[in-house]
Amino acid sequence: MATDYYAVLGVRRDASQDEIKKAFRRLARELHPDVNPDPKTQERFKEINAAYEVLSDPQKKQVYDLGGDPLSQSGGGGAGGFGAGGFGNFSDIMDAFFGTASQRGPRSRTRRGQDAMIRLEVDLDEAAFGTTKDIQVDTAVVCGTCSGEGAAPGTSAQTCDMCRGRGEVSQVTRSFLGQVMTSRPCPQCQGFGTIVPNPCPECAGDGRVRSRRTLTVKIPAGVDNGTRIQLAGEGEVGPGGGPAGDLYVEIHELPHPTFQRRGDDLHCTVTIPMTAAALGTKVPLETLDGLEEVDIRPGTQSGQSIPLHGRGVTHLRGGGRGDLIVHVEVQTPTKLDPEQEQLLRQLAALRGEERPTGQFQPGQQGLFSRLKDAFNGR
């Protein structure tokens, strides 16, 4: 009486390949001789290996479903197809214990390419408001001679005669478990299942060549140092003319002669004489938006900050802009001529004790104006 392989694995006759494999893995973990050395269990382990060998192979399964004996037809003569003491494919046993399935069949010559990255320098105003730039990149592209096939024009890849296109070769060895079959990539075709007897002279069979291209990149407003812009499919073309990876453009912002960037705010320093700080003035400042006048109020102290709202960098995410912070530095004269020294002494005498900055007693305003004129005319 023929063995019911479906009953051995505990699956229905219409079970899918995935269900069959899961059932085998579950039973193999329970019945493997390393786990359970009982002789009866070893016999049961041989049965599930034989059942899996038949039901996992579409051709053998078809023969079995039609009432034939696929193991005897394939020369197996016993459980597992390798004699009475044999077990199934070693990779299936490893899969049962470690849950990792070995890759079956030839591997493709076509694979996805790697990502690439290029550094792009931008000025502050370009980072603040956004721009477009043309960049040159050196990446692998599809070979125009063989269109990625890797074979010389007029030729094509041929089936490997060692593995017959399977991409792997099998070897039967003896172990304490009995006869075990192991598989490894074919050494002649490196697992591809095909060989290229006449490689393309342009790409040497790789299916790709290096080329310099010009791309236009849109730089969004608000980018900063280290910001990366992704250009999908503009990276390296894969071996065999496979899909290209992505290109990442990393932003590097060049230093500005006037402004220092902190986040989306800009900072700068203006230097004014002490007379202008005391009396007040307007200082012209070239901002990213054009020339503006910074209002210095009377009595401004050195180190004070004056914000110009909305004059900074555009926010990368969300609307609006940062601020421009103007730091005031009051310049104190180091050398005085006799007239300047006399006017300062008169002012000091007229002021008497220190008073709040920017407050003048009668007569001080005129004296300070004369002092200002004396310094400006120096």
Side-chain angles (χ1 to χ4, degrees), residues 99-189:
T100 56
S102 60
Q103 181 178 353
R104 299 294 182 85
R107 58 192 182 102
S108 175
R109 291 184 180 273
T110 302
R111 301 192 300 277
R112 183 183 184 275
Q114 294 182 342
D115 295 336
M117 187 175 71
I118 187 173
R119 192 183 191 195
L120 179 62
E121 294 182 339
V122 298
D123 295 324
L124 175 60
D125 59 335
E126 294 174 327
F129 301 121
T131 185
T132 56
K133 278 185 171 290
D134 290 335
I135 60 173
Q136 288 188 331
V137 294
D138 292 312
T139 59
V141 299
V142 175
C143 176
T145 302
C146 66
S147 301
E149 296 295 328
T155 66
S156 60
Q158 298 179 2
T159 302
C160 175
D161 57 5
M162 177 175 286
C163 66
R164 303 184 184 278
R166 296 192 304 271
E168 61 181 16
V169 293
S170 302
Q171 181 180 9
V172 179
T173 58
R174 301 187 65 85
S175 71
F176 71 95
L177 297 176
Q179 297 185 29
V180 177
M181 184 180 71
T182 58
S183 299
R184 59 185 176 88
C186 175
Q188 179 167 288
C189 66

Coordinates of all heavy atoms in Angstrom, one line a residue, residues 99-189:
G99 N 14.8 28.6 10.3 CA 13.7 29.5 9.7 C 14.2 30.3 8.6 O 13.6 31.3 8.3
T100 N 15.3 29.9 7.9 CA 15.8 30.7 6.8 C 15.8 29.8 5.6 O 16.3 28.7 5.6 CB 17.3 31.1 7.0 OG1 18.1 30.0 7.3 CG2 17.3 32.1 8.2
A101 N 15.2 30.2 4.5 CA 15.1 29.5 3.3 C 16.3 29.8 2.4 O 16.6 31.0 2.2 CB 13.8 29.8 2.6
S102 N 17.0 28.8 1.9 CA 18.1 29.0 0.9 C 17.5 29.5 -0.4 O 16.4 29.1 -0.8 CB 18.9 27.8 0.7 OG 18.1 26.7 0.2
Q103 N 18.3 30.3 -1.1 CA 17.8 30.8 -2.4 C 18.0 29.7 -3.4 O 19.1 29.2 -3.6 CB 18.7 32.0 -2.8 CG 18.2 32.6 -4.2 CD 19.0 33.8 -4.5 OE1 19.8 34.3 -3.7 NE2 18.8 34.3 -5.7
R104 N 16.9 29.3 -4.0 CA 16.9 28.2 -5.0 C 17.0 28.8 -6.4 O 16.4 29.9 -6.7 CB 15.6 27.4 -4.9 CG 15.5 26.7 -3.5 CD 16.6 25.7 -3.3 NE 16.4 25.0 -2.0 CZ 15.6 24.0 -1.8 NH1 14.8 23.5 -2.8 NH2 15.5 23.4 -0.7
G105 N 17.6 28.1 -7.3 CA 17.6 28.5 -8.7 C 18.7 29.5 -9.0 O 19.4 30.0 -8.1
P106 N 18.9 29.9 -10.2 CA 19.9 30.8 -10.6 C 19.6 32.2 -10.1 O 18.5 32.6 -10.0 CB 19.9 30.8 -12.1 CG 18.5 30.3 -12.5 CD 18.1 29.4 -11.4
R107 N 20.6 32.9 -9.8 CA 20.5 34.3 -9.4 C 20.5 35.2 -10.6 O 21.2 34.9 -11.6 CB 21.5 34.8 -8.4 CG 22.9 34.6 -8.7 CD 23.8 34.8 -7.5 NE 25.2 34.7 -7.9 CZ 26.0 35.8 -8.0 NH1 25.5 37.0 -7.8 NH2 27.3 35.7 -8.3
S108 N 19.8 36.3 -10.6 CA 19.7 37.2 -11.7 C 21.0 38.0 -11.9 O 21.6 38.4 -11.0 CB 18.5 38.1 -11.6 OG 18.4 39.0 -12.6
R109 N 21.3 38.2 -13.2 CA 22.4 39.1 -13.5 C 22.0 40.5 -13.3 O 22.9 41.4 -13.2 CB 22.9 38.9 -14.9 CG 23.6 37.5 -15.1 CD 24.1 37.4 -16.5 NE 24.8 36.1 -16.7 CZ 26.1 35.9 -16.4 NH1 26.8 36.8 -15.9 NH2 26.6 34.7 -16.6
T110 N 20.8 40.8 -13.3 CA 20.3 42.2 -13.2 C 20.0 42.5 -11.7 O 19.1 41.8 -11.1 CB 19.0 42.4 -14.0 OG1 19.3 42.0 -15.4 CG2 18.5 43.8 -14.0
R111 N 20.6 43.5 -11.2 CA 20.4 43.9 -9.8 C 20.4 45.4 -9.7 O 20.9 46.1 -10.5 CB 21.6 43.3 -8.9 CG 21.7 41.8 -8.9 CD 22.7 41.3 -7.8 NE 24.0 41.9 -7.9 CZ 25.0 41.4 -8.7 NH1 24.7 40.4 -9.5 NH2 26.2 42.0 -8.7
R112 N 19.7 45.8 -8.6 CA 19.6 47.3 -8.4 C 21.0 47.9 -8.1 O 21.8 47.3 -7.4 CB 18.6 47.6 -7.2 CG 18.4 49.0 -7.0 CD 17.5 49.2 -5.8 NE 17.2 50.6 -5.5 CZ 17.9 51.5 -4.8 NH1 19.1 51.1 -4.3 NH2 17.5 52.7 -4.7
G113 N 21.2 49.1 -8.6 CA 22.4 49.8 -8.4 C 22.5 50.5 -7.0 O 21.5 50.6 -6.3
Q114 N 23.6 50.9 -6.7 CA 23.9 51.6 -5.4 C 23.4 53.1 -5.4 O 23.4 53.7 -6.5 CB 25.3 51.5 -5.0 CG 25.8 50.1 -4.7 CD 27.3 50.1 -4.3 OE1 28.0 51.1 -4.5 NE2 27.7 49.0 -3.7
D115 N 23.1 53.6 -4.3 CA 22.9 55.0 -4.2 C 24.2 55.8 -4.3 O 25.2 55.3 -4.0 CB 22.2 55.4 -2.8 CG 20.8 54.7 -2.7 OD1 20.2 54.4 -3.7 OD2 20.3 54.5 -1.6
A116 N 24.1 57.0 -4.7 CA 25.2 57.9 -4.8 C 25.0 59.2 -4.1 O 23.8 59.6 -3.9 CB 25.6 58.1 -6.3
M117 N 26.0 60.0 -3.8 CA 25.9 61.2 -3.1 C 26.9 62.2 -3.6 O 28.0 61.9 -3.9 CB 26.0 61.1 -1.6 CG 25.7 62.4 -0.8 SD 25.8 62.2 1.0 CE 27.5 62.0 1.2
I118 N 26.5 63.5 -3.8 CA 27.3 64.5 -4.2 C 27.1 65.7 -3.3 O 26.0 66.0 -2.8 CB 27.0 64.9 -5.7 CG1 28.0 65.9 -6.3 CG2 25.6 65.4 -5.9 CD1 27.9 66.2 -7.7
R119 N 28.2 66.5 -3.1 CA 28.2 67.7 -2.3 C 28.0 68.9 -3.1 O 28.7 69.1 -4.1 CB 29.5 67.8 -1.5 CG 29.4 68.8 -0.3 CD 30.8 68.9 0.3 NE 30.8 69.6 1.6 CZ 31.9 70.0 2.2 NH1 33.1 69.8 1.7 NH2 31.8 70.7 3.3
L120 N 27.0 69.8 -2.7 CA 26.7 71.0 -3.5 C 26.9 72.2 -2.6 O 26.2 72.3 -1.6 CB 25.3 70.9 -4.1 CG 24.9 72.1 -4.9 CD1 25.7 72.3 -6.2 CD2 23.4 71.9 -5.4
E121 N 27.7 73.2 -3.1 CA 27.9 74.4 -2.3 C 26.9 75.5 -2.8 O 26.7 75.6 -4.0 CB 29.3 74.9 -2.5 CG 30.4 74.0 -1.9 CD 31.7 74.5 -2.0 OE1 32.0 75.4 -2.9 OE2 32.6 74.1 -1.3
V122 N 26.2 76.1 -1.8 CA 25.3 77.2 -2.2 C 25.6 78.4 -1.3 O 26.1 78.3 -0.2 CB 23.8 76.7 -1.9 CG1 23.5 75.6 -2.8 CG2 23.6 76.4 -0.5
D123 N 25.2 79.6 -1.8 CA 25.4 80.8 -1.1 C 24.2 81.0 -0.1 O 23.2 80.3 -0.2 CB 25.4 82.0 -2.0 CG 26.6 82.0 -2.9 OD1 27.7 81.6 -2.4 OD2 26.5 82.4 -4.1
L124 N 24.3 81.9 0.8 CA 23.3 82.1 1.8 C 22.0 82.5 1.2 O 20.9 82.0 1.6 CB 23.8 83.2 2.9 CG 22.8 83.6 3.9 CD1 22.4 82.4 4.8 CD2 23.3 84.7 4.8
D125 N 22.0 83.4 0.3 CA 20.7 83.9 -0.3 C 20.1 82.7 -1.1 O 18.8 82.6 -1.2 CB 21.0 85.1 -1.2 CG 21.9 84.8 -2.3 OD1 22.8 83.9 -2.2 OD2 21.9 85.5 -3.4
E126 N 20.9 81.8 -1.7 CA 20.3 80.7 -2.4 C 19.6 79.7 -1.4 O 18.6 79.2 -1.7 CB 21.4 80.0 -3.2 CG 21.9 80.8 -4.4 CD 23.1 80.1 -5.1 OE1 23.9 79.4 -4.4 OE2 23.3 80.3 -6.3
A127 N 20.3 79.5 -0.3 CA 19.7 78.7 0.8 C 18.5 79.3 1.4 O 17.5 78.6 1.7 CB 20.7 78.4 1.9
A128 N 18.5 80.6 1.5 CA 17.3 81.3 2.1 C 16.1 81.3 1.2 O 15.0 81.2 1.7 CB 17.7 82.7 2.5
F129 N 16.3 81.5 -0.1 CA 15.1 81.7 -1.0 C 14.9 80.6 -1.9 O 13.9 80.5 -2.6 CB 15.3 83.0 -1.7 CG 15.4 84.2 -0.8 CD1 16.5 85.0 -0.9 CD2 14.4 84.5 0.1 CE1 16.6 86.1 -0.1 CE2 14.5 85.6 0.9 CZ 15.6 86.4 0.8
G130 N 15.9 79.6 -2.0 CA 15.8 78.5 -3.0 C 16.3 78.9 -4.3 O 16.3 80.1 -4.7
T131 N 16.6 77.9 -5.1 CA 17.1 78.2 -6.5 C 17.2 76.9 -7.2 O 16.8 75.8 -6.7 CB 18.6 78.8 -6.4 OG1 19.0 79.1 -7.7 CG2 19.5 77.8 -5.8
T132 N 17.6 76.9 -8.5 CA 17.9 75.7 -9.2 C 19.3 75.8 -9.7 O 19.8 76.8 -10.0 CB 16.9 75.6 -10.5 OG1 17.1 76.8 -11.3 CG2 15.5 75.4 -10.0
K133 N 20.0 74.6 -9.7 CA 21.4 74.5 -10.1 C 21.6 73.3 -11.0 O 21.0 72.3 -10.9 CB 22.3 74.4 -8.9 CG 22.6 75.7 -8.2 CD 23.5 75.5 -7.0 CE 24.0 76.9 -6.5 NZ 24.9 77.6 -7.4
D134 N 22.5 73.5 -11.9 CA 23.0 72.4 -12.8 C 24.2 71.8 -12.1 O 25.1 72.5 -11.7 CB 23.3 72.9 -14.2 CG 22.1 73.3 -15.0 OD1 21.0 72.8 -14.7 OD2 22.2 74.1 -15.9
I135 N 24.2 70.4 -12.0 CA 25.3 69.7 -11.4 C 25.8 68.6 -12.3 O 25.0 68.1 -13.2 CB 24.9 69.1 -10.0 CG1 23.8 68.1 -10.2 CG2 24.5 70.1 -9.0 CD1 23.4 67.3 -9.0
Q136 N 27.0 68.3 -12.2 CA 27.6 67.2 -13.0 C 27.9 66.0 -12.1 O 28.5 66.2 -11.1 CB 28.9 67.7 -13.7 CG 28.6 68.7 -14.9 CD 29.9 69.0 -15.7 OE1 31.0 68.9 -15.2 NE2 29.7 69.2 -17.0
V137 N 27.4 64.9 -12.5 CA 27.6 63.7 -11.8 C 28.3 62.6 -12.6 O 28.0 62.5 -13.8 CB 26.3 63.1 -11.2 CG1 25.8 64.1 -10.1 CG2 25.3 62.9 -12.3
D138 N 29.2 61.8 -12.0 CA 29.8 60.7 -12.7 C 29.2 59.4 -12.1 O 29.5 59.1 -10.9 CB 31.3 60.7 -12.5 CG 32.0 61.9 -13.2 OD1 31.6 62.0 -14.4 OD2 32.8 62.6 -12.6
T139 N 28.4 58.7 -12.8 CA 27.8 57.5 -12.3 C 27.8 56.4 -13.4 O 28.1 56.7 -14.6 CB 26.3 57.7 -11.9 OG1 25.6 58.2 -13.0 CG2 26.2 58.7 -10.7
A140 N 27.4 55.2 -13.0 CA 27.3 54.1 -14.0 C 25.9 54.2 -14.7 O 24.9 54.5 -14.0 CB 27.4 52.8 -13.3
V141 N 26.0 54.1 -16.0 CA 24.8 54.1 -16.8 C 24.7 52.9 -17.6 O 25.7 52.1 -17.8 CB 24.7 55.4 -17.7 CG1 24.7 56.7 -16.9 CG2 25.9 55.4 -18.7
V142 N 23.6 52.6 -18.2 CA 23.4 51.4 -19.1 C 24.3 51.5 -20.3 O 24.4 52.5 -20.9 CB 21.9 51.2 -19.5 CG1 21.8 50.1 -20.5 CG2 21.0 51.1 -18.3
C143 N 25.0 50.4 -20.5 CA 25.9 50.3 -21.7 C 25.1 50.5 -23.0 O 24.2 49.7 -23.2 CB 26.7 49.0 -21.7 SG 27.8 48.8 -23.1
G144 N 25.5 51.4 -23.8 CA 24.8 51.7 -25.0 C 25.1 50.6 -26.1 O 24.3 50.5 -27.1
T145 N 26.2 49.9 -26.0 CA 26.6 48.9 -27.0 C 25.7 47.7 -26.8 O 25.2 47.1 -27.8 CB 28.1 48.6 -26.9 OG1 28.8 49.8 -27.0 CG2 28.5 47.6 -27.9
C146 N 25.6 47.2 -25.6 CA 24.9 45.9 -25.4 C 23.5 46.1 -24.7 O 22.8 45.1 -24.4 CB 25.7 44.9 -24.6 SG 26.0 45.5 -22.9
S147 N 23.1 47.3 -24.4 CA 21.8 47.7 -23.8 C 21.7 46.9 -22.4 O 20.6 46.6 -22.0 CB 20.7 47.3 -24.7 OG 20.8 48.0 -25.9
G148 N 22.8 46.7 -21.8 CA 22.8 46.1 -20.4 C 22.8 44.6 -20.4 O 22.9 44.0 -19.4
E149 N 22.8 44.0 -21.6 CA 22.8 42.5 -21.7 C 24.2 41.9 -21.3 O 24.3 40.8 -20.8 CB 22.5 42.0 -23.1 CG 21.0 42.4 -23.5 CD 20.0 41.7 -22.6 OE1 20.3 40.5 -22.2 OE2 18.9 42.2 -22.4
G150 N 25.3 42.6 -21.5 CA 26.6 42.2 -21.2 C 27.3 41.4 -22.3 O 28.5 41.1 -22.2
A151 N 26.5 41.0 -23.3 CA 27.1 40.2 -24.4 C 27.4 41.1 -25.6 O 26.8 42.1 -25.8 CB 26.1 39.1 -24.8
A152 N 28.4 40.7 -26.3 CA 28.8 41.4 -27.5 C 27.7 41.5 -28.5 O 26.8 40.5 -28.5 CB 30.1 40.8 -28.2
P153 N 27.6 42.5 -29.3 CA 26.5 42.6 -30.3 C 26.4 41.4 -31.2 O 27.5 40.9 -31.7 CB 26.8 43.9 -31.1 CG 27.6 44.7 -30.1 CD 28.4 43.7 -29.3
G154 N 25.3 40.8 -31.4 CA 25.1 39.6 -32.2 C 25.3 38.3 -31.5 O 25.1 37.3 -32.1
T155 N 25.6 38.4 -30.2 CA 25.7 37.2 -29.4 C 24.8 37.3 -28.2 O 24.1 38.3 -27.9 CB 27.1 37.0 -28.9 OG1 27.5 38.1 -27.9 CG2 28.1 37.1 -30.0
S156 N 24.7 36.2 -27.4 CA 23.8 36.2 -26.2 C 24.4 35.3 -25.2 O 25.3 34.5 -25.5 CB 22.4 35.8 -26.6 OG 22.4 34.5 -27.2
A157 N 23.8 35.4 -24.0 CA 24.3 34.5 -22.9 C 23.8 33.0 -23.2 O 22.8 32.8 -23.9 CB 23.7 34.9 -21.6
Q158 N 24.6 32.0 -22.8 CA 24.3 30.6 -23.0 C 24.1 29.9 -21.7 O 24.7 30.3 -20.7 CB 25.4 30.0 -23.8 CG 25.6 30.6 -25.2 CD 26.8 29.9 -25.9 OE1 27.4 28.9 -25.4 NE2 27.0 30.4 -27.1
T159 N 23.3 28.9 -21.7 CA 23.0 28.1 -20.5 C 24.3 27.4 -20.1 O 25.0 26.8 -20.9 CB 21.9 27.0 -20.8 OG1 20.7 27.7 -21.2 CG2 21.6 26.2 -19.5
C160 N 24.6 27.5 -18.8 CA 25.8 26.8 -18.3 C 25.6 25.3 -18.4 O 24.6 24.7 -18.0 CB 25.9 27.2 -16.8 SG 27.3 26.4 -16.0
D161 N 26.7 24.7 -19.0 CA 26.6 23.2 -19.2 C 27.0 22.4 -17.9 O 26.8 21.2 -17.9 CB 27.5 22.8 -20.3 CG 29.0 23.2 -20.1 OD1 29.3 23.8 -19.0 OD2 29.8 23.1 -21.0
M162 N 27.5 23.1 -16.9 CA 27.8 22.4 -15.6 C 26.6 22.2 -14.8 O 26.3 21.2 -14.2 CB 28.9 23.2 -14.9 CG 29.3 22.5 -13.5 SD 30.7 23.3 -12.7 CE 32.0 22.7 -13.7
C163 N 25.8 23.3 -14.6 CA 24.6 23.2 -13.7 C 23.4 23.1 -14.5 O 22.3 23.1 -13.9 CB 24.6 24.4 -12.8 SG 24.3 26.0 -13.6
R164 N 23.5 23.2 -15.9 CA 22.3 23.1 -16.7 C 21.3 24.2 -16.4 O 20.1 24.0 -16.5 CB 21.6 21.7 -16.7 CG 22.6 20.6 -17.0 CD 21.9 19.2 -17.0 NE 22.8 18.2 -17.3 CZ 23.3 17.8 -18.5 NH1 22.9 18.4 -19.5 NH2 24.1 16.8 -18.6
G165 N 21.8 25.4 -16.1 CA 20.9 26.5 -15.9 C 20.4 26.7 -14.5 O 19.6 27.7 -14.2
R166 N 20.7 25.7 -13.6 CA 20.1 25.8 -12.3 C 20.8 26.8 -11.4 O 20.3 27.3 -10.4 CB 20.1 24.4 -11.6 CG 19.2 23.4 -12.3 CD 19.1 22.2 -11.4 NE 20.4 21.6 -11.0 CZ 21.1 20.7 -11.7 NH1 20.5 20.3 -12.8 NH2 22.2 20.2 -11.3
G167 N 22.0 27.1 -11.7 CA 22.8 28.1 -10.9 C 23.5 27.5 -9.7 O 24.2 28.1 -9.0
E168 N 23.2 26.2 -9.4 CA 23.8 25.5 -8.3 C 24.1 24.1 -8.6 O 23.5 23.5 -9.5 CB 22.9 25.6 -7.1 CG 21.6 24.9 -7.3 CD 20.7 25.1 -6.1 OE1 21.0 25.9 -5.2 OE2 19.7 24.3 -6.0
V169 N 25.1 23.5 -8.0 CA 25.4 22.1 -8.1 C 25.2 21.4 -6.8 O 25.4 22.0 -5.7 CB 26.8 21.9 -8.7 CG1 27.0 22.4 -10.1 CG2 27.8 22.6 -7.7
S170 N 24.9 20.1 -6.8 CA 24.6 19.4 -5.6 C 25.7 18.3 -5.4 O 26.3 17.8 -6.4 CB 23.2 18.7 -5.7 OG 22.2 19.7 -5.9
Q171 N 25.8 18.0 -4.1 CA 26.8 16.9 -3.8 C 26.3 16.1 -2.6 O 25.7 16.7 -1.7 CB 28.1 17.6 -3.4 CG 29.2 16.6 -3.0 CD 30.5 17.3 -2.6 OE1 30.5 18.5 -2.4 NE2 31.6 16.5 -2.4
V172 N 26.4 14.8 -2.8 CA 25.9 13.9 -1.7 C 27.1 13.4 -0.9 O 28.1 13.0 -1.4 CB 25.2 12.7 -2.3 CG1 24.7 11.7 -1.2 CG2 24.0 13.1 -3.2
T173 N 26.9 13.7 0.4 CA 28.0 13.2 1.4 C 27.3 12.4 2.5 O 26.1 12.4 2.7 CB 28.6 14.5 2.0 OG1 27.6 15.3 2.7 CG2 29.3 15.3 1.0
R174 N 28.2 11.6 3.1 CA 27.7 10.8 4.2 C 28.0 11.4 5.5 O 29.1 12.0 5.7 CB 28.4 9.4 4.1 CG 28.1 8.6 2.8 CD 28.7 7.2 2.9 NE 28.0 6.4 3.9 CZ 26.9 5.7 3.7 NH1 26.3 5.8 2.5 NH2 26.3 5.0 4.6
S175 N 27.1 11.3 6.5 CA 27.3 11.8 7.8 C 26.6 10.9 8.8 O 26.1 9.8 8.4 CB 26.7 13.2 7.9 OG 25.2 13.1 7.9
F176 N 26.6 11.3 10.1 CA 26.0 10.4 11.1 C 24.5 10.3 10.9 O 23.8 9.4 11.4 CB 26.3 10.9 12.5 CG 25.6 12.2 12.8 CD1 24.4 12.2 13.5 CD2 26.1 13.4 12.4 CE1 23.7 13.4 13.8 CE2 25.5 14.6 12.7 CZ 24.3 14.6 13.4
L177 N 23.9 11.2 10.0 CA 22.5 11.2 9.7 C 22.2 10.3 8.6 O 21.1 10.0 8.3 CB 22.0 12.6 9.4 CG 22.1 13.6 10.5 CD1 21.6 15.0 10.0 CD2 21.2 13.2 11.7
G178 N 23.3 9.9 7.9 CA 23.1 9.1 6.7 C 23.6 9.9 5.5 O 24.6 10.6 5.6
Q179 N 23.0 9.7 4.3 CA 23.4 10.5 3.1 C 22.7 11.8 3.1 O 21.5 11.9 3.2 CB 23.1 9.7 1.9 CG 23.9 8.4 1.8 CD 23.6 7.6 0.5 OE1 23.4 8.3 -0.5 NE2 23.7 6.3 0.5
V180 N 23.5 12.9 3.0 CA 23.0 14.2 3.0 C 23.4 14.9 1.7 O 24.6 14.9 1.3 CB 23.4 15.0 4.2 CG1 22.9 16.5 4.1 CG2 23.0 14.3 5.5
M181 N 22.5 15.6 1.0 CA 22.8 16.3 -0.2 C 22.9 17.8 0.2 O 22.1 18.4 0.8 CB 21.7 16.1 -1.2 CG 22.0 16.8 -2.6 SD 20.7 16.6 -3.8 CE 19.4 17.7 -3.1
T182 N 24.0 18.4 -0.3 CA 24.2 19.8 -0.1 C 24.3 20.5 -1.4 O 24.8 19.9 -2.4 CB 25.5 20.1 0.7 OG1 26.6 19.5 0.0 CG2 25.4 19.5 2.1
S183 N 23.9 21.8 -1.5 CA 24.0 22.5 -2.7 C 24.9 23.7 -2.5 O 24.9 24.3 -1.4 CB 22.6 22.9 -3.2 OG 21.8 21.8 -3.4
R184 N 25.5 24.1 -3.6 CA 26.4 25.3 -3.6 C 26.3 26.0 -4.9 O 26.0 25.4 -5.9 CB 27.8 25.0 -3.2 CG 28.5 24.0 -4.2 CD 29.9 23.6 -3.7 NE 30.5 22.6 -4.5 CZ 31.2 22.9 -5.6 NH1 31.5 24.2 -5.9 NH2 31.8 21.9 -6.3
P185 N 26.6 27.3 -5.0 CA 26.6 28.0 -6.3 C 27.5 27.3 -7.3 O 28.6 26.9 -7.0 CB 27.0 29.4 -6.0 CG 26.7 29.6 -4.5 CD 26.9 28.2 -3.9
C186 N 27.1 27.3 -8.5 CA 27.9 26.7 -9.6 C 29.2 27.5 -9.8 O 29.2 28.7 -10.0 CB 27.1 26.7 -10.9 SG 28.1 26.1 -12.3
P187 N 30.4 26.8 -9.7 CA 31.6 27.5 -9.8 C 31.9 28.0 -11.3 O 32.7 28.9 -11.4 CB 32.7 26.4 -9.4 CG 32.0 25.1 -9.7 CD 30.6 25.3 -9.5
Q188 N 31.2 27.5 -12.2 CA 31.5 27.9 -13.6 C 30.7 29.1 -14.0 O 31.3 30.0 -14.6 CB 31.1 26.7 -14.6 CG 31.3 27.1 -16.0 CD 31.2 25.9 -16.9 OE1 32.1 25.1 -16.9 NE2 30.2 25.8 -17.7
C189 N 29.5 29.3 -13.5 CA 28.7 30.4 -13.9 C 28.5 31.4 -12.7 O 27.7 32.3 -12.8 CB 27.4 30.0 -14.5 SG 26.3 29.2 -13.3

